[in-house]
Amino acid sequence: MSTVAVRDLELDLEAFEGPFDLLLTLVLKDELPLADVEIAGVVLAFVERLAERSELELEVCGEFLVLVAALLELKARDVFAEDGELELDDLDAADAAAELAERLAAYRRVRAGAEWLERRLAAETDRYFRLGPAPLAPPPARALDPQDPLGLARAIRALAADPPAPSLSHLALRLPPVERFLERFRALLRRSGFVFDDEVDGLSRIEQAVAFLALLELRKAGEVRLSQQAPFEPIGVSAA
Amino acid sequence: MENDAGFGRFAVSVGERQLYLVDSPIDRLARTLEALLVIAPQPLSIAELASASEAEVERVETALALLAGRFREGRSGIVLEQVAGGYAFRAAREAATACARLVERPVQRGLSQAALETLAIAAYLGPVSRPEIARIRGVASDSAVAGLVDRGLLTEAGREAEGGAVRYRTTPLFERVFGLSGLDELPSLDDLAGDAPALRERLEAVAAGRSA
């Protein structure tokens, strides 16, 4: 293994796959967050390569140690920097050690918790139970104001009553045909003359209007002569 | 046959003798609870059982004790257990091999170290956000969190006041899979990580040596 081989060390990590050299470049260019990189994985890959060699090459090991130490320091800075204000350079050795000890202790506790969970899971492999779908939905609460039963009965009775009969008044607007009055007036004229007002007396206003139109039609055709003493007086009709 | 006190009597013939079995109201409540637990897709709390059966909490507890005696390992293929903050039926352990041929456990394929650590953080310190988990573990834990959410062991639990990062906590399924009656059944981390203070002392000693 030569010096070049350290840089070409092939890595297969969760966050990165490729030569060690490229990993360093990406990290230094801030294109790969160091928090994602498992340094232990890098060391493991190196140790595996080392194991393939019969001789221990101190120079190669030394270079690797320097590079990994640099990576670890960078990563430590990242970890500290996540607190925002805390910078590793600002701390003296004792404070840094205390902070690191705090972090390591917190992680160690979590690790111990994870180990306990792992043992527990292994002990519970014979645990089988039914898995249902989503939790049962509780019936929606119906918040109603207290009601007076008699009041409700009155409301229901009002709803149950027959609706008012629909108005048919608009149907009366249908116009009678003019021909009906033409034929009637011609029949009257064949016998003798007649007074228009007497003939339309008792008819609706619409029918009277249509009858008047018929009268005008007869006058236009020259079939009748009309006479009236004064405005609004009875209209006398006689054959022309 | 029922009398005024609400007790029913059932006659059973054993040879030439007639035996009378008394069916008490508690027995009847126990049967109702049994039915509720059979249809429930998840553990039912005492309050839920009391509400559904319209019985008092004390009577529900008594009836549950009765059921626990009937449905226990070695006596029944179904076991009543107190789990995930409620009561639920599960298969007896002696039937596990047969059950394994029929169904797959929710965590059949095991959990990675990253997943176990993430679960431990959520269980002990939850609800926690991804950045908090990453800070404690020292590596990004996004894929571990996503995997645990997919498996139903973690669920979202609101957002952080600052930054608005989604926070996660463990689910009732987590407690069932690990056979926990509740998160308070988890052992104290101080008991588990007894060497943490020693580690701290060692580090501080090294630091003191360097700064001297």
Side-chain angles (χ1 to χ4, degrees):
Chain A
M1 187 185 291
S2 66
T3 308
V4 179
V6 176
R7 297 187 181 279
D8 287 344
L9 181 66
E10 276 298 321
L11 298 171
D12 186 7
L13 308 174
E14 197 176 332
F16 174 82
E17 194 179 334
F20 187 32
D21 196 20
L22 180 60
L23 173 72
L24 283 176
T25 311
L26 290 175
V27 166
L28 290 173
K29 285 185 175 178
D30 282 336
E31 285 178 14
L32 179 67
L34 204 47
D36 292 349
V37 180
E38 272 185 286
I39 306 287
V42 179
V43 175
L44 205 64
F46 179 75
V47 171
E48 279 171 359
R49 283 285 291 275
L50 213 57
E52 293 166 5
R53 313 283 300 183
S54 51
E55 290 177 25
L56 185 67
E57 293 179 47
L58 287 178
E59 197 176 321
V60 174
C61 292
E63 191 200 357
F64 180 78
L65 278 176
V66 169
L67 288 171
V68 165
L71 272 183
L72 277 174
E73 188 182 346
L74 281 172
K75 188 161 181 170
R77 282 173 194 273
D78 276 356
V79 170
F80 279 100
E82 278 190 41
D83 273 351
E85 302 136 14
L86 211 53
E87 287 292 335
L88 203 57
D89 292 341
D90 299 339
L91 297 172
D92 64 23
D95 289 342
E99 180 67 28
L100 193 58
E102 202 66 51
R103 297 279 168 114
L104 283 176
Y107 175 66
R108 214 174 169 81
R109 284 154 58 87
V110 163
R111 188 75 185 261
E115 284 166 2
W116 185 86
L117 286 178
E118 191 173 16
R119 287 195 300 275
R120 179 83 178 193
L121 196 59
E124 296 290 332
T125 48
D126 52 0
R127 159 177 292 275
Y128 283 86
F129 49 86
R130 179 186 296 175
L131 269 178
L136 295 173
R142 300 188 63 191
L144 290 176
D145 289 336
Q147 298 290 336
D148 170 26
L150 291 176
L152 286 174
R154 276 195 299 276
I156 290 170
R157 199 174 296 132
L159 285 173
D162 286 336
S167 166
L168 299 175
S169 57
H170 60 286
L171 297 178
L173 285 176
R174 269 200 310 197
L175 298 176
V178 178
E179 287 77 14
R180 203 179 89 192
F181 290 100
L182 285 176
E183 286 166 13
R184 187 171 154 194
F185 291 160
R186 281 180 184 137
L188 288 170
L189 285 171
R190 275 196 286 276
R191 281 177 273 168
S192 64
F194 64 92
V195 176
F196 177 79
D197 298 64
D198 295 345
E199 290 304 320
V200 300
D201 189 33
L203 298 180
S204 70
R205 287 168 64 82
I206 292 290
E207 286 168 326
Q208 288 181 3
V210 174
F212 188 68
L213 283 176
L215 193 64
L216 292 178
E217 193 67 27
L218 289 173
R219 173 70 183 82
K220 187 179 167 191
E223 292 182 41
V224 295
R225 267 203 309 269
L226 303 176
S227 60
Q228 190 177 30
Q229 299 298 324
F232 302 111
E233 288 293 306
I235 301 169
V237 186
S238 57
Chain B
M1 189 185 343
E2 288 214 355
N3 61 24
D4 292 342
F7 286 79
R9 291 202 307 168
F10 297 97
V12 180
S13 298
V14 181
E16 293 179 355
R17 297 180 61 192
Q18 287 258 310
L19 292 178
Y20 287 96
L21 300 176
V22 176
D23 179 37
S24 72
I26 282 292
D27 280 318
R28 257 177 276 157
L29 176 59
R31 287 201 297 273
T32 304
L33 299 185
E34 204 177 311
L36 292 172
L37 291 166
V38 160
I39 62 162
Q42 59 187 12
L44 294 175
S45 68
I46 288 186
E48 286 170 322
L49 287 168
S51 168
S53 61
E54 294 186 322
E56 291 164 10
V57 167
E58 291 78 18
R59 295 186 64 235
V60 169
E61 286 172 342
T62 309
L64 281 171
L66 206 63
L67 286 180
R70 287 179 200 159
F71 296 100
R72 63 170 197 267
E73 296 280 358
R75 179 171 172 180
S76 166
I78 301 167
V79 175
L80 178 67
E81 65 173 351
Q82 199 174 350
V83 70
Y87 288 82
F89 281 135
R90 66 165 169 79
R93 291 184 192 273
E94 65 182 11
T97 312
C99 291
R101 292 187 202 110
L102 189 67
V103 295
E104 190 180 57
R105 296 174 66 239
V107 190
Q108 188 89 351
R109 283 161 292 142
L111 294 166
S112 67
Q113 187 62 36
L116 281 166
E117 287 179 13
T118 304
L119 262 186
I121 292 169
Y124 279 98
L125 310 172
V128 288
S129 64
R130 290 185 196 206
E132 282 174 321
I133 296 170
R135 193 163 63 238
I136 294 169
R137 293 192 58 230
V139 289
S141 306
D142 292 1
S143 61
V145 170
L148 290 169
V149 170
D150 282 348
R151 287 183 173 209
L153 299 175
L154 283 189
T155 187
E156 292 187 10
R159 289 178 178 272
E160 281 182 340
E162 279 183 37
V166 176
R167 306 170 90 191
Y168 296 88
R169 62 169 170 76
T170 51
T171 60
L173 177 63
F174 160 77
E175 292 169 36
R176 282 194 96 179
V177 167
F178 284 84
L180 300 168
S181 62
L183 290 180
D184 51 2
E185 203 192 327
L186 289 168
S188 155
L189 283 182
D190 290 332
D191 295 343
L192 290 175
D195 56 346
L199 174 81
R200 186 189 181 124
E201 279 170 24
R202 259 169 49 205
L203 269 166
E204 283 173 353
V206 170
R210 282 188 60 179
S211 55

